[in-house]
Amino acid sequence: MTVYSGPVFEMAVNQFGVIADHLSIPHDERARLLMPKRSVTVSCPIHRDDGTIAVFEGYRVQHHLTLGPTKGGTRFATSVDLGEVAALAIWMSWKCALVGLPYGGAKGGVHVDPTSLSRTELEGLSRRYMQEMIPFVGPHTDVMAPDMGTNEQVMAWFMDTYSMYQGKTVTEIVTGKPVASGGTLGRREATGRGVAYLARRVLGLKSINFNDATAVIQGFGNVGSYTAIELASFGVKIIAVSDHTGALYDAKGLDVAALVAHVGKHGSLAGYSNELQYDPVGMLTLPCDVLVPAATERVIDAKVAAQLQCRILAEGANGPTTPDADLVLEQRQDAIFVIPDILCNSGGVVVSYFEWVQDLQQLFWEEEEVMHREYKILDRAFDQMVARAKRDKVSHRTAAMAIGVEKVRAAKTTRGLFP
Ligand code: NAD
């Protein structure tokens, strides 16, 4: 019996089973590694602008506390439930361990469509959610960050709410804050930059000229848009993008700066162009060099995987590829190069870690230093993953997750079981 359920949680369990088998982890040790340490469910009442009261359910799951505080984003979306948040927390643990951060994984969220809230309502919900979480979080317990449906402004409200209760400013309670409120240079761009940096490495490995390369990007929020900007800056042609309102395709290449400006003004890609509209699902299987899912989970299932025509799958989103799809990808003769999510989008948590370190020290770095350190960590983890996959003759995902699980297991083993 467990309180966690749903397809995303099942996917995390299924993936862990593959890794545990690969590492020959004894069965009686598996639940200790897999099951979250803590989960909290809260009711967040807010005043609506029309004078009524609405209540939204919020969650926070802390996966393990073995290596230090937990770390993870907060998602505001209608997909959010305890199972999804638990799966995302588990993936965060393997990710942090893979890239060598002193954190366990966490994730939180509120079941809400943030676009249905006014700015005042969003502020009320953000503040109430953080207020409800105060007994369970802290700079050395659990540090939040942005995720789908939240942004720098929401992090500023979180930080302010926590700080007002402490009677002092505690910038290190969240990361992904505005630079003006203790955030770090380079955090906003960090995840997309990391995705593009790794995709560029693989383009190089495959001897694909950047100026001849094409990319398709699903999701045009923080991760998708900065991936597009970075890839375009290397010379890669962005031929298709999508968001929750639809997809756009232009074989000649889309104007990324114009797309970013449109989304900045209107909040989504809707209304950008009628002529360029395309099927949002069909977009994933367009011929291209780099496919970047940067929206949500489980968009590449076995059927889509069989039809993919990309050469590199750079997973910006968490959990975009189902275990069934992984099996299809492993059997394909044309060997699509998969950069799995826990490596591909880890630039975000890496630079969140830098933000936390800078806040604790009150010593702030130049953007060049942030980027240089981010890329160094990504390069190291990429090399380790590729070497491990080759050595063990396993997929990149299995290799990356095995490295992460192994590190968490080693820490748990050496610390022992209390009491
Ligand atoms: P965001 O809210 O800024 O953007 C999400 C984008 O996805 C929006 O453009 C939205 O319209 C689009 N979208 C939602 N559902 C869609 C669908 N079904 N089809 C196409 N587009 C859809 O969120 P984000 O921060 O960019 O996060 C995106 C993904 O990246 C999530 O999986 C998140 O967990 C992951 N991620 C984010 C970060 C980060 O630093 N923000 C770090 C690591 C991983």
Side-chain angles (χ1 to χ4, degrees), residues 163-201:
S163 296
M164 296 312 279
Y165 275 84
Q166 307 303 316
K168 61 185 177 192
T169 296
V170 189
T171 51
E172 60 272 26
I173 182 61
V174 294
T175 60
K177 301 177 294 292
V179 173
S181 300
T184 182
L185 295 166
R187 173 61 185 91
R188 184 186 299 169
E189 302 86 354
T191 312
R193 267 185 189 154
V195 173
Y197 180 81
L198 292 170
R200 185 169 75 157
R201 258 199 82 164

Side-chain angles (χ1 to χ4, degrees), residues 75 147-149 187 191 219-223 243-244 294-295 316-318 345:
R75 178 173 288 195
D147 193 78
M148 251 176 92
R187 173 61 185 91
T191 312
F220 208 71
N222 174 280
V223 180
D243 71 4
H244 67 284
N318 286 306
N345 67 35

Side-chain angles (χ1 to χ4, degrees), residues 46 227 260 411:
I46 62 160
T227 303
V260 170

Side-chain angles (χ1 to χ4, degrees), residues 22-78:
H22 173 62
L23 296 175
S24 304
I25 298 175
H27 282 272
D28 67 339
E29 214 190 298
R30 294 187 182 190
R32 186 176 174 220
L33 276 167
L34 176 68
M35 297 310 285
K37 173 58 69 186
R38 288 184 194 137
S39 62
V40 183
T41 302
V42 292
S43 290
C44 303
I46 62 160
H47 290 290
R48 304 282 325 220
D49 292 345
D50 64 6
T52 60
I53 291 172
V55 180
F56 298 93
E57 196 157 83
Y59 313 91
R60 186 81 184 161
V61 173
Q62 298 165 351
H63 179 228
H64 78 83
L65 304 160
T66 311
L67 285 162
T70 48
K71 185 88 192 73
T74 307
R75 178 173 288 195
F76 284 3
T78 51

